Amino acid sequence: MYDENLVGLWDSGTYDLGYMETSWLGFLPDGRGWSAWANAAGGIEVGRFRWHCPEPATLELRYEWQVSGGWQDPGDASRFGSIDSQGPYHEVLKTGYVVRPDVTISEPFTALHLEEDVNFCSAYGLKRRGLSLQDDPA
């Protein structure tokens, strides 16, 4: 079972005010997705997963592959410029979640709040609904 409310690109930037790192979650409608993390020092890490909702308000991420390295340029911290390591990665994360309206210092937005951190974050703002496999930073 998939919750169509999760489909899209989610960005922790809305909640990262003053932080030197940010995270993203991408959920494709076919059950594939990725989590990504980047920091101001130039590091980036991406994990690809299969996702589904085994029961209402519960999200399961089944990681299959992970890559880490350096990002391409200061204008695009979501693309790799170098790769330090990559390969199979086997982890399953099961967490509760809620999708609801929220507001920080900007306009209201749709938020995803997780019970467990994914890439050091548990709160994400919806960046956009339209998403394809070509948006995967890896």
Side-chain angles (χ1 to χ4, degrees), residues 72-90:
Q72 188 169 345
D73 63 61
D76 188 3
S78 66
R79 298 283 176 210
F80 279 89
S82 64
I83 294 177
D84 298 329
S85 68
Q86 65 177 322
Y89 183 67
H90 303 288

Side-chain angles (χ1 to χ4, degrees), residues 1-2 7 26-34 48-52 60-62 64:
M1 176 171 86
Y2 301 109
V7 173
F27 296 100
L28 296 169
D30 66 358
R32 291 180 291 174
W34 61 87
R48 289 185 180 155
F49 55 73
R50 297 284 179 170
W51 71 276
H52 75 281
E60 185 174 291
L61 306 179
R62 187 172 298 277
E64 300 174 332

Side-chain angles (χ1 to χ4, degrees), residues 12-127:
S12 69
T14 309
Y15 297 98
D16 292 341
L17 306 174
Y19 287 84
M20 300 297 284
E21 60 189 27
T22 194
S23 300
W24 305 273
L25 292 173
F27 296 100
L28 296 169
D30 66 358
R32 291 180 291 174
W34 61 87
S35 61
W37 165 89
N39 66 20
I44 183 172
E45 183 174 289
V46 176
R48 289 185 180 155
F49 55 73
R50 297 284 179 170
W51 71 276
H52 75 281
C53 301
E55 55 194 68
T58 302
L59 173 63
E60 185 174 291
L61 306 179
R62 187 172 298 277
Y63 281 89
E64 300 174 332
W65 186 78
Q66 188 172 38
V67 60
S68 64
W71 40 267
Q72 188 169 345
D73 63 61
D76 188 3
S78 66
R79 298 283 176 210
F80 279 89
S82 64
I83 294 177
D84 298 329
S85 68
Q86 65 177 322
Y89 183 67
H90 303 288
E91 180 182 345
V92 176
L93 173 68
K94 190 173 181 180
T95 183
Y97 74 92
V98 62
V99 175
R100 63 175 170 82
D102 204 352
V103 65
T104 55
I105 62 169
S106 62
E107 296 293 318
F109 59 92
T110 301
L112 170 62
H113 292 275
L114 305 167
E115 289 178 2
E116 302 288 329
D117 284 356
V118 176
N119 287 340
F120 313 108
C121 247
S122 63
Y124 293 83
L126 181 63
K127 191 167 185 175

